Amino acid sequence: MTSATLLRRITDYAARADPYPLYAELRRTPVARQEDGVYAVSTYWEIAGLLHDPRLSSDPRNRVPTAGEEDILEEEQGLPPSFLRLDPPEHDRLRRLATRPFGPPDSPRRVSDMRGDLARMVSGLIDGLRDRERADIVEDFAYPFPVMVICKLLGVPHEDEERFHVWAEAIVAGLDPGEEGEGPAERRRAAQRARMELGRYLAGLIEDHRRAPGGDMLSALAAGHGDRERMSPLELVVTAVLLLIAGHETTVNLITNGMLTLLRHPDALRRLREEPGLAVPLVEELLRYEPPVQLLPQRTALADIDVGGVTIPRGAPVWLVLASGNRDPRRFPDPDRFDPGRTGNEHLGFGGGIHYCFGAPLARLEAQVALTELARRLVEPRLVTDPPPYRRNPVLRGPRHLPVAFDGCVP
Amino acid sequence: MPAADGSAEEFRRRGHAVVVGASLAGLRAAETLREEGFAGTLTMIGDEPHEPYDRPPLSKQVLLGRTGAGDTLLPRRRALEARWLLGTAATGLDLAGRRVRLAGGEEVRYDRLLIATGTRARPWIKETEAALDGVLTLRTGDDAARLARRLDARPRRVLVIGAGFTGSEITSACRERGIDVTVAERGPAPLVGALGGVVGAVAAELHHAHGVDLRCGITVTALEGDPAGRLRCAHLSDGTTLEADAAVVALGAVRNTEWLAGSGLAAGPRGVACDAGCRAFDVHGIVTDDVFVAGDVARSPHPLFGYQFLSLEHWGNAVAQAEVAAHNMVSPGPERRPHLWLPAFWSAQFGINIKSVGVPPMGRELAIVQGSLAERRFAAVYGHQGRVIAAVTFDHGRWLPFYGRLIETAAPFPPDFAQVDRAPGGPRPIPAEFPDPALPTHGPTVTLSGYAPSERRVTFVPARV
């Protein structure tokens, strides 16, 4: 089997439930050129090195489009790229501005102050399962919870969820490089249209918040910060789109993957029930073992880069397969074992370098609160089907549904 | 009795490990000993009465009033099952008898010893002036509590003596609290000793932009008190007088090695010399096998930097060296590891995150490879004999591991390749502008005596202060 077909097999839907044996195969060639010119990097130290390598760009405008990718620059006709797809200095400026109402140094308590809200939301959702013996962890819990959180944080009315849910789905599908369905090009165009729609919706909302500010992030971003630099109205809309999507499409998978993993490892589930403090290392292990973002397919080499005995040529697209690096035996002893107490767990689950997950502190807290409460309150939970049905997307990977049976809930 | 024969296994099972110094390095070493299966007796000796605590927040969050000075206890990695002798200074070492003498006269026998006594703040040179109410230093939690209380009392002006990292962080905290500050720095710019004049000039701009009264090329010649013994003013070398309610002496650190005087170890003002495996040298330059050193007090050769003996006052170095020292204490020869940590540190001041890898003062030239000095956000790479020897970032720290790799792989200087945020026109090497290394230092010396090979001896001569 050549590595060219290997990456295709990984993005193929058949591999979605368990891509890890294919990642192990991929790691035999740490930096593997694919037949379409993509370089797949699959080992820990090589990925970690490239995440901090200034010769690697996240800006699609630096890409020499490969066959079938000619449309990639069409994005310029829609909304401009968010900071996720920009390089410094633009990236640094926008991310710094977005951080002001979210984290240190200006807002060090924003996330920790949400703990009470998070606990109330989780309690409410689990209360809703009280009289049931079956639930879909995705529909009944892991999807609604992060949406409530991101709505509260940004100041987006929760009742608009039906509207932006459709756009969010289309935007996330645009990240899917797989050949199935209508194909990546058509999905990217659909994503672009959805981004415009969502942007229009959020632009209206931002205007409302400017007139009548609340304690939320959009109000803070719209108001600016005294006489310090601020985002332009268009940058604000683009950033709001990014935060809304990233805030609710990844945490769903983190929580769902978490529950699935716990149900497959009853010892870990029992330990979490008995010692809730375990939630902290357990969520880190989850981010290593089943990361919601499996790979970063959007980087481009700006210069020839020697890595892992291979020269990635200038202009080549580079895929960083985070989920594979997380299972690299050269970095993690016994990497295929789920060990909730694992120490020295510097996983790649949140990426690394300047694009390290913006919402990481919030995602961690959400997963810790959610999994601790699910473990504590559901009586004898068990999987109904294993593996569960998965979403198509190989980048943001997670179950579409996670049916579980249980014998009621404790208060 | 184990260990004399080098039996690591016997020591691991039944030995007595003594750790002198109960701060970051001492604690992490002790934890590593247990982690690696050390089942013997463990004694921790520390001169401060407090449990091990973290120091970086003392010059930042604590001075801003966000954290109490007593609230920075170090997180524990595991239970230690140790005998703690806190508030007890070690006063002497008997190498032949393997005994540590304590302040109370008690003696503690050891099979293997770890020295992690760190440093203390260099005091103001004139004792009577140092004793004035309002003259402070910053090294310990108690120091930080005193300084924080002083800042709470809204002093009209604080004088910071010395613009190294600690001095600059204190200055930054004062300005953030709206307190007027004058800084007296002997060199031409802040941070000049650590980062050179080019980067120092940016630090000077930061001081000015934040309303600091920065006076470079100036020394404080005297501190003057009122009849009640309170600091009133400072006399400066340019003949001027400055009124101040408080003066913080931030002139670097002194290594805590006095207790080792006469012990026969190669210990002095520059620290305790040890090999790359953290084993202490005796005064003859012969390596010991039962005395180990880690943290700020250690001075060890680094292969990447010409095998020069480096002593690093870095948080990360203390942790890494402690782990290596502890591992080597319980491991037989072939399993021992070298301490090959790439020097790295960080600082937060005036809203800027400053980070460094490698040894900037070894660099004769530097090149700005990302961002720009004018924007005060940049990555600067330092060159030494045609290769990359260090890198310093202002608000660009996420890229630092990449530059660390360039140092480790002896990459050519100046590095020149297409990259994000590349400085316009590419990197152009310029002199890094470090102060003249020929200036007198406080270094100690040794003298040789005897003629026959069996009589040749080295005598350690403390520095003349």
Side-chain angles (χ1 to χ4, degrees), chain A residues 260-386:
Chain A
L260 174 62
T261 303
L262 286 174
L263 293 171
R264 284 171 172 169
H265 298 84
D267 280 359
L269 182 65
R270 200 187 53 245
R271 274 185 69 191
L272 178 60
R273 201 178 290 139
E274 288 163 4
E275 37 171 326
L278 186 66
V280 173
L282 184 143
V283 167
E284 297 311 304
E285 176 68 344
L286 208 52
L287 284 156
R288 183 193 73 82
Y289 186 78
E290 286 274 29
V293 180
Q294 296 264 302
L295 53 104
L296 301 174
Q298 294 174 334
R299 308 278 166 117
T300 305
L302 295 178
D304 291 355
I305 301 174
D306 292 331
V307 57
V310 172
T311 301
I312 301 176
R314 178 177 167 207
V318 180
W319 287 21
L320 303 177
V321 190
L322 305 175
S324 170
N326 278 348
R327 301 280 190 117
D328 185 344
R330 277 173 60 217
R331 173 59 181 81
F332 297 102
D334 205 357
D336 292 323
R337 193 165 77 87
F338 178 71
D339 174 6
R342 190 181 286 271
T343 55
N345 196 349
E346 286 174 57
H347 57 74
L348 303 170
F350 285 132
I354 62 164
H355 294 285
Y356 182 86
C357 177
F358 180 83
L362 181 60
R364 283 193 165 105
L365 189 61
E366 286 180 71
Q368 288 162 8
V369 172
L371 294 173
T372 309
E373 280 302 283
L374 285 171
R376 186 180 71 81
R377 294 192 61 192
L378 294 187
V379 180
E380 295 291 324
R382 52 214 177 260
L383 285 172
V384 174
T385 51
D386 193 4

Side-chain angles (χ1 to χ4, degrees), chain A residues 49 51-58 87-89 92 95-96 105 302-303 353-354 356, chain B residues 35 66 370 375 377 395-403 405-406 417-421:
Chain A
L51 284 169
H52 295 98
D53 195 321
R55 296 169 297 181
L56 213 54
S57 166
S58 293
D87 295 329
D92 292 8
R95 181 160 168 149
R96 185 169 62 241
L302 295 178
I354 62 164
Y356 182 86
Chain B
E35 188 77 39
R66 292 191 190 140
Q370 285 182 278
E375 291 172 88
R377 41 172 298 283
D395 276 353
H396 251 46
R398 296 274 197 187
W399 302 110
L400 218 54
F402 172 75
Y403 297 109
R405 273 308 283 163
L406 293 187
F417 31 66
Q419 59 178 34
V420 302
D421 206 11

Side-chain angles (χ1 to χ4, degrees), chain B residues 181-246:
Chain B
V181 193
T182 297
V183 174
E185 164 58 43
R186 182 173 59 173
L191 311 182
V192 72
L195 306 181
V198 174
V199 176
V202 181
E205 281 173 28
L206 276 174
H207 279 68
H208 291 135
H210 286 80
V212 177
D213 172 26
L214 173 66
R215 306 196 189 176
C216 293
I218 292 285
T219 53
V220 174
T221 52
L223 297 171
E224 188 185 317
D226 64 13
R230 284 185 303 255
L231 174 70
R232 199 174 64 78
C233 66
H235 298 279
L236 307 181
S237 56
D238 61 358
T240 58
T241 301
L242 181 86
E243 288 193 14
D245 296 340

Side-chain angles (χ1 to χ4, degrees), chain B residues 33-49:
Chain B
L33 284 173
R34 291 298 190 208
E35 188 77 39
E36 301 223 357
F38 174 69
T41 311
L42 178 59
T43 303
M44 304 287 295
I45 299 169
D47 62 345
E48 288 186 65

